[in-house]
Amino acid sequence: MCIFCKIVNGEIPNNTVHESDHFLAFHDLYPKAPVHVLIIPKNHVDCFQDVSPETMAGLTEFTQEVATKLGIDKTGYRLVTNNGKDGGQEVDHLHFHMLGGGKLVWDHHHEDPHKSL
Ligand code: AMP
């Protein structure tokens, strides 16, 4: 069972922000911004590439609720999902990083982005 499934079933503790029947939002253990929350479907889906439009529809509303609850719905935030190896995904259970609480830098490229692949 994956680490986020263990969080969903209570085997691993988490700092919950918001919860519904189908989704869970909890604080990231190693925050990269003043607000850094992970938003996941409770049912295991490996990654964004595998998620259904139906799940995403519910996740949209849930994500908006999380932002409101955190008080960053007006100030803004970044929503990121790392998909697969090149995307830097480390936990193979679909999750969206919600980052905010301050002005964020835009600096994702490990290597020169203009370098040809
Ligand atoms: P990613 O690299 O996109 O797969 O992101 C995985 C994220 O999960 C990282 O930001 C980790 O800090 C976070 N993480 C790993 N284990 C836990 C945990 N037990 N509770 C909260 N966040 C975690």
Side-chain angles (χ1 to χ4, degrees):
M1 187 184 288
C2 88
I3 183 169
F4 286 176
C5 282
K6 287 182 179 170
I7 284 178
V8 168
N9 75 16
E11 267 183 69
I12 294 178
N14 77 95
N15 190 357
T16 298
V17 172
H18 191 42
E19 185 168 10
S20 72
D21 287 347
H22 301 295
F23 306 105
L24 179 68
F26 53 97
H27 288 280
D28 196 291
L29 259 190
Y30 305 103
K32 293 181 174 61
V35 173
H36 187 173
V37 164
L38 300 175
I39 299 168
I40 67 170
K42 288 185 173 177
N43 286 334
H44 185 93
V45 179
D46 276 349
C47 63
F48 183 76
Q49 194 61 29
D50 292 345
V51 72
S52 70
E54 292 74 24
T55 297
M56 284 308 299
L59 198 55
T60 300
E61 187 179 16
F62 183 81
T63 299
Q64 292 162 346
E65 290 168 6
V66 172
T68 302
K69 210 161 173 179
L70 290 166
I72 58 171
D73 53 319
K74 302 285 192 292
T75 50
Y77 55 87
R78 184 170 298 153
L79 208 55
V80 178
T81 187
N82 296 326
N83 187 96
K85 187 167 65 67
D86 279 1
Q89 184 174 5
E90 288 180 354
V91 176
D92 289 333
H93 182 132
L94 173 65
H95 52 283
F96 285 83
H97 298 257
M98 179 178 275
L99 300 150
K103 183 79 178 159
L104 301 167
V105 293
W106 182 253
D107 183 21
H108 294 306
H109 295 284
H110 179 59
E111 294 180 286
D112 181 355
H114 304 296
K115 198 176 88 177
S116 56
L117 294 172

